[in-house]
Amino acid sequence: MTNTLTIRSRGDRRDGPKVRRRPAHSSRPAWEEPPTPVGQAAKGLTIGATLAVVLVPLWIIVLTSFSTPGAINRAGGLVLWPDGLTTASYVQMLEDSTVLSALVVSLGITVVGTAVAMVVSILCAYGLSRPRSLGHRFILVLLIITMFVNGGLIPTFLVVTGLGGYGAWWALILPSAVSVFNILVLRAFYSETSGELIDAARMDGAGDWRILWSIVLPTSRAVTAVIALFYGVGYWNSFFNVMLYMPTDAEKWPLQYVLLTYVNRGNGMPGSFNGGFGNTATQTAPLSLQMAVVVLTLVPLVLVYPFVQKHLRTGVLTGAIKG
């Protein structure tokens, strides 16, 4: 019989320490420990609970808007499970002229307001980001002070009404056109724009307008998209300025204020020729109709958000970290 000699290295000895080898395709850093079952379960439960908090209310609102009055009565209010679905609430809502005009007003205020706010914020942030601009430090300090100290509601109302803003369209746009926080985020991002690119553009004869349009804005699309989303959501959800400057002109009311008046005050749509959704001006609308109006206010944001979502991380976080 032939004896076979097996030679083992020191690392291959059975009594030696076992080293867990990481797969070659793993992207986990070498210093990071592999996940444990408890940790993975905790992460899954946390994500599931967060999704439930967000999606369950939306599910209830949408389902209630499609439910019949009988299903709502059987559920005792908001509907959690499908029971007698119908589109009658949406048909009745879209047939009312007040809702359609309010939707057009909201879209117009959002588009125009976002455009005005972005122009003002971009120009202000770019001017403050240039170290040689006249008085940029003094203006920056004044803007930061306004984040903590302001005149209050009554002085703002007196200024806007003194300028003829009561009942005017611009009163719904200009008072909200400047956000110091958004300007600071843009300024922090613009301050980190490559100095070599700007110097090369100046050597080629480009001025500040050309540099802003051809260099700064193209290299900051992410943060610009995020700030535009912030302004757009703010204008779309705005209703307080309507309460201050045009509380009686129902034809100029945006959708959010119509919804507020319709749901919270329990009245029919003011300003509608048919006295609201009900037969009388004081008849409270069915719950399904109220939820249908809520869904209508959510649809534009749901349609726009996927196109901007990819810029949220690279936009706000980068702008906040830089500078």
Side-chain angles (χ1 to χ4, degrees), residues 269-282:
M269 286 293 188
S272 178
F273 293 104
N274 59 4
F277 288 120
N279 295 326
T280 63
T282 59

Side-chain angles (χ1 to χ4, degrees), residues 1-322:
M1 179 180 294
T2 304
N3 294 330
T4 303
L5 179 63
T6 304
I7 301 177
R8 294 179 180 176
S9 63
R10 182 176 300 178
D12 293 332
R13 292 178 180 176
R14 297 182 182 276
D15 57 347
K18 295 182 179 180
V19 179
R20 181 178 297 178
R21 297 182 178 274
R22 188 178 304 276
H25 62 276
S26 177
S27 60
R28 188 180 301 275
W31 60 85
E32 186 176 347
E33 297 182 357
T36 61
V38 176
Q40 292 291 87
K43 292 178 181 179
L45 291 176
T46 302
I47 295 175
T50 304
L51 290 176
V53 171
V54 175
L55 297 179
V56 170
L58 293 177
W59 165 261
I60 293 175
I61 290 174
V62 174
L63 189 59
T64 304
S65 67
F66 283 102
S67 299
T68 61
I72 295 176
N73 292 334
R74 287 190 295 271
L78 297 175
V79 180
L80 184 59
W81 303 107
D83 181 15
L85 301 181
T86 180
T87 59
S89 298
Y90 288 91
V91 173
Q92 190 175 356
M93 175 188 65
L94 296 177
E95 288 178 351
D96 192 278
S97 60
T98 303
V99 176
L100 297 180
S101 62
L103 179 60
V104 173
V105 170
S106 293
L107 292 175
I109 292 175
T110 301
V111 173
V112 177
T114 302
V116 172
M118 287 302 298
V119 170
V120 174
S121 299
I122 288 174
L123 294 180
C124 182
Y126 177 71
L128 295 176
S129 66
R130 299 303 94 196
R132 294 186 297 272
S133 58
L134 179 62
H136 71 282
R137 292 188 179 274
F138 177 72
I139 297 175
L140 180 61
V141 171
L142 289 181
L143 289 176
I144 295 176
I145 291 176
T146 61
M147 296 180 65
F148 306 99
V149 180
N150 57 72
L153 178 60
I154 295 178
T156 303
F157 176 80
L158 293 177
V159 170
V160 174
T161 55
L163 295 175
Y166 192 84
W169 287 107
W170 65 264
L172 305 180
I173 297 175
L174 294 186
S176 305
V178 177
S179 172
V180 178
F181 172 79
N182 293 340
I183 291 176
L184 293 180
V185 172
L186 290 172
R187 174 188 174 273
F189 199 94
Y190 294 164
S191 299
E192 296 298 324
T193 304
S194 177
E196 291 78 5
L197 288 176
I198 296 178
D199 293 339
R202 291 192 183 279
M203 292 179 62
D204 291 338
D208 286 325
W209 291 102
R210 181 72 177 184
I211 293 174
L212 174 62
W213 182 259
S214 301
I215 297 178
V216 176
L217 289 182
T219 58
S220 59
R221 294 176 180 175
V223 69
T224 302
V226 172
I227 298 302
L229 177 64
F230 287 169
Y231 278 122
V233 172
Y235 277 110
W236 178 259
N237 293 327
S238 177
F239 62 88
F240 190 68
N241 287 344
V242 183
M243 299 175 63
L244 293 177
Y245 306 119
M246 52 180 62
T248 59
D249 194 353
E251 295 182 354
K252 296 181 180 180
W253 286 359
L255 188 61
Q256 298 293 341
Y257 189 68
V258 170
L259 175 63
L260 174 70
T261 305
Y262 176 54
V263 176
N264 290 352
R265 298 183 183 179
N267 297 328
M269 286 293 188
S272 178
F273 293 104
N274 59 4
F277 288 120
N279 295 326
T280 63
T282 59
Q283 179 177 352
T284 303
L287 184 60
S288 61
L289 208 51
Q290 298 178 13
M291 295 301 103
V293 180
V294 174
V295 172
L296 182 62
T297 62
L298 296 176
V299 168
L301 298 181
V302 173
L303 295 178
V304 173
Y305 182 80
F307 298 98
V308 188
Q309 181 268 341
K310 61 181 180 180
H311 298 298
L312 284 176
R313 182 177 179 180
T314 58
V316 172
L317 294 182
T318 305
I321 293 173
K322 289 186 177 181

